[in-house]
Amino acid sequence: MSEKKLWSGRFNQPTDAFVEAFTASVEFDRRLYRYDIQGSIAHATMLAESGILSKPELDTILSGLARIQARIEQGGFEWSVGLEDVHMNIESALTAEIGDAGKKLHTGRSRNDQVATDIRLWLRDEIETIRDAILRLQQALLESAEREAETIMPGFTHLQTAQPVTFGHHLMAWFEMLERDRERLADCNRRVNVMPLGAAALAGTTYPIDRRRTTELLGFDRPSENSLDAVSDRDFAIEFTAAGALIMMHLSRMSEELIIWSSAQFAFIELSDSFCTGSSIMPQKKNPDVPELIRGKSGRVFGHLMCLLTLMKGQPLAYNKDNQEDKEPLFDTVDNLKGSLKVFAEMVPTISCRRENMRQAALKGFATATDLADYLVRKGLPFRDAHAVVGKAVARCAEKGCDLPDLSLEELQSFSRVIEADVFRCLTLEGSIAARDHIGGTAPAQVRAAIARARARLEA
Ligand code: ARG
């Protein structure tokens, strides 16, 4: 099965068959083929411009690489485990295709700077795709938030009814989490978009290369500053996975809320049939599988972050084969992020909101107790005293099995003489939310203003 290795010069014995398969990465890194070829095109072009390759050699290399890319894309390329990785598979196919000029492509380059370049080129594209996927989810949230800007629901702390909020306000909280995620990825990309080629194996190369030119050809922001660092640095992969872990943590929290809200006990929302599945034994079941699966998938992305940190922690400079283990966690992180964001964005517009149930829930649990305390403060009581007065009123309601607005004016006045008939306005759900009328508050007008600012931010 073994092809002749491109590095076999000093070896007398063939690689053990199991070791060959064990050390190979082509089964997964072939995914990088497009970026590997893109990097080779830039490298060869720079070599020719710098007089290291001749123009005819360059032309042969470029047309050979184009034919190889086409063959890969048409499924006619034969990947060989014996050739270890994507880099040597393509290089060896190039030499088979065009002869001696193919053997010159690797001049002034090592797989160490090559692989670092490939991953950066690949990740840069994936970051863009993921940022777009976040944006689409944010746009879906804005639409729903606008529709539900006046829909009242209980807001929770400790999952106990706290104060009334609007559903639109809640959805805008999700929007904000995702906005930070999008920013984090853009920031991470500043450290991804750095050009390692020229570092070669670790120390740089003896050829008169032009690193600024390869940087420009590949659209990187700048060449890396230190060759040892360039081939060994995987900080950018860890940072990306950390940003990915935060995204999954956010999606998982949102999923958890959707799961709770769609239960018969809450019944705040209904998920569309197309995002749920049934039970093979219980005919009545409609299970929120999609959010559950996303909540579950967060675990593997957190795992990948730990995996990459551990991968790097014991490595002396510069490149070590350990680094080959960076790809599978990265690929899986990207795939799960894209899948989860896509399905979430498609699910959000299909969520139907059971407004009356939300309202009824907000009417339980003394959601306007803080409003009563604030009312007493406006009438001159110190806040701590007001808190105590309302506590007593709540205890009375609990005894009677009613809510604060169900108490008569006389009953309320028995707790504090400052209470007057105007108290009932602040005890209503509408009065409570309308009163939180400042930037970031839940008043419907503020939610609409927040949506308008968010739209402007997305368009910026
Ligand atoms: N497949 C290797 C990787 O993923 C490519 C670099 C190999 N370099 C080396 N010196 N063995 O890291």
Side-chain angles (χ1 to χ4, degrees):
M1 86 178 257
S2 249
E3 272 79 3
K4 187 160 164 47
K5 305 275 185 277
L6 300 182
W7 40 251
S8 65
R10 66 154 290 174
F11 288 74
N12 294 318
Q13 285 176 359
T15 320
D16 174 274
F18 183 74
V19 170
E20 183 173 274
F22 185 76
T23 51
S25 54
V26 66
E27 292 303 342
F28 49 88
D29 67 14
R30 52 198 268 192
R31 170 173 177 158
L32 296 171
Y33 79 87
R34 203 151 49 86
Y35 301 97
D36 195 68
I37 291 174
Q38 189 187 353
S40 289
I41 291 172
H43 178 65
T45 304
M46 178 280 290
L47 289 181
E49 287 173 3
S50 310
I52 303 162
L53 286 181
S54 72
K55 181 76 170 82
E57 283 166 341
L58 172 66
D59 292 342
T60 328
I61 288 174
L62 295 187
S63 66
L65 286 173
R67 288 198 296 281
I68 287 168
Q69 173 149 354
R71 213 183 311 142
I72 296 173
E73 281 162 6
Q74 286 149 17
F77 188 89
E78 251 184 71
W79 296 99
S80 157
V81 171
L83 289 168
E84 201 175 317
D85 54 27
V86 61
H87 323 293
M88 290 199 291
N89 267 267
I90 292 177
E91 190 190 322
S92 146
L94 181 68
T95 301
E97 182 87 14
I98 64 168
D100 281 353
K103 296 187 191 162
K104 296 195 173 181
L105 173 63
H106 213 51
T107 312
R109 183 176 79 171
S110 151
R111 276 185 296 152
N112 297 351
D113 58 347
Q114 188 178 356
V115 69
T117 306
D118 291 7
I119 311 174
R120 287 170 183 270
L121 287 170
W122 165 79
L123 189 55
R124 174 176 89 175
D125 274 4
E126 296 292 7
I127 285 177
E128 229 12 73
T129 308
I130 294 166
R131 289 190 77 235
D132 274 355
I134 297 176
L135 189 85
R136 272 194 289 280
L137 173 53
Q138 287 181 298
Q139 278 159 343
L141 289 172
L142 285 178
E143 295 287 308
S144 302
E146 194 145 63
R147 213 173 37 241
E148 309 297 343
E150 303 199 14
T151 306
I152 295 176
M153 67 182 284
F156 300 94
T157 60
H158 314 268
L159 201 55
Q160 309 286 320
T161 298
Q163 293 170 355
V165 294
T166 65
F167 188 38
H169 195 52
H170 195 112
L171 293 173
M172 287 306 289
W174 291 3
F175 176 96
E176 289 300 323
M177 301 179 193
L178 294 166
E179 185 63 5
R180 290 192 294 278
D181 289 328
R182 229 161 44 86
E183 276 173 21
R184 245 186 302 272
L185 286 179
D187 186 62
C188 168
N189 197 48
R190 298 198 300 130
R191 284 167 298 279
V192 172
N193 205 24
V194 175
M195 212 284 303
L197 282 178
L202 76 164
T205 177
T206 56
Y207 300 93
I209 55 168
D210 181 352
R211 299 192 66 216
R212 288 196 205 291
R213 182 67 180 132
T214 21
T215 298
E216 181 183 280
L217 286 167
L218 292 170
F220 280 114
D221 293 335
R222 59 184 176 87
S224 55
E225 288 291 334
N226 179 291
S227 63
L228 293 167
D229 183 46
V231 292
S232 78
D233 169 32
R234 294 295 182 274
D235 293 3
F236 68 92
I238 297 176
E239 267 188 64
F240 166 77
T241 310
L246 281 166
I247 296 171
M248 289 307 295
M249 180 272 281
H250 288 154
L251 294 181
S252 179
R253 294 184 66 185
M254 297 172 198
S255 294
E256 171 71 4
E257 294 190 317
L258 293 180
I259 294 162
I260 294 176
W261 294 341
S262 60
S263 70
Q265 289 66 29
F266 269 76
F268 282 7
I269 59 162
E270 186 159 358
L271 293 173
S272 143
D273 285 0
S274 44
F275 292 88
C276 296
T277 60
S279 155
S280 54
I281 172 170
M282 297 168 285
Q284 84 284 11
K285 295 278 274 180
K286 177 171 157 184
N287 296 326
D289 286 40
V290 167
E292 286 175 297
L293 209 47
I294 292 174
R295 189 177 57 186
K297 280 176 183 297
S298 61
R300 65 158 97 191
V301 176
F302 300 175
H304 296 326
L305 173 58
M306 206 39 66
C307 167
L308 291 174
L309 283 166
T310 313
L311 176 67
M312 295 311 295
K313 80 172 273 289
Q315 286 197 45
L317 288 171
Y319 176 87
N320 300 278
K321 183 77 167 181
D322 314 39
N323 282 353
Q324 183 164 293
E325 288 288 308
D326 64 358
K327 285 167 209 64
E328 287 163 294
L330 269 177
F331 292 164
D332 192 68
T333 298
V334 161
D335 292 342
N336 281 289
L337 281 172
K338 289 198 292 194
S340 303
L341 286 162
K342 174 180 154 62
V343 75
F344 216 105
E346 285 166 9
M347 179 171 62
V348 164
T350 72
I351 295 172
S352 65
C353 180
R354 303 172 81 171
R355 296 182 182 138
E356 191 44 38
N357 291 351
M358 287 186 169
R359 185 181 175 82
Q360 287 309 318
L363 288 168
K364 290 184 212 130
F366 316 108
T368 56
T370 317
D371 296 85
L372 179 55
D374 291 343
Y375 170 89
L376 295 170
V377 169
R378 286 197 296 277
K379 297 278 178 183
L381 261 64
F383 182 77
R384 274 291 150 238
D385 294 345
H387 188 286
V389 166
V390 179
K392 293 212 173 67
V394 165
R396 169 76 54 83
C397 290
E399 251 169 59
K400 295 182 61 170
C402 69
D403 197 2
L404 288 168
D406 303 324
L407 296 177
S408 67
L409 182 58
E410 294 69 41
E411 273 174 301
L412 283 167
Q413 284 169 333
S414 75
F415 298 106
S416 168
R417 279 189 307 278
V418 302
I419 295 178
E420 293 170 86
D422 63 351
V423 71
F424 290 104
R425 190 151 32 88
C426 81
L427 292 181
T428 65
L429 297 176
E430 281 73 15
S432 170
I433 59 163
R436 285 161 173 78
D437 188 20
H438 50 74
I439 295 172
T442 194
Q446 292 294 344
V447 173
R448 291 208 174 86
I451 294 170
R453 287 196 301 274
R455 284 226 159 88
R457 259 193 285 169
L458 292 193
E459 275 152 28

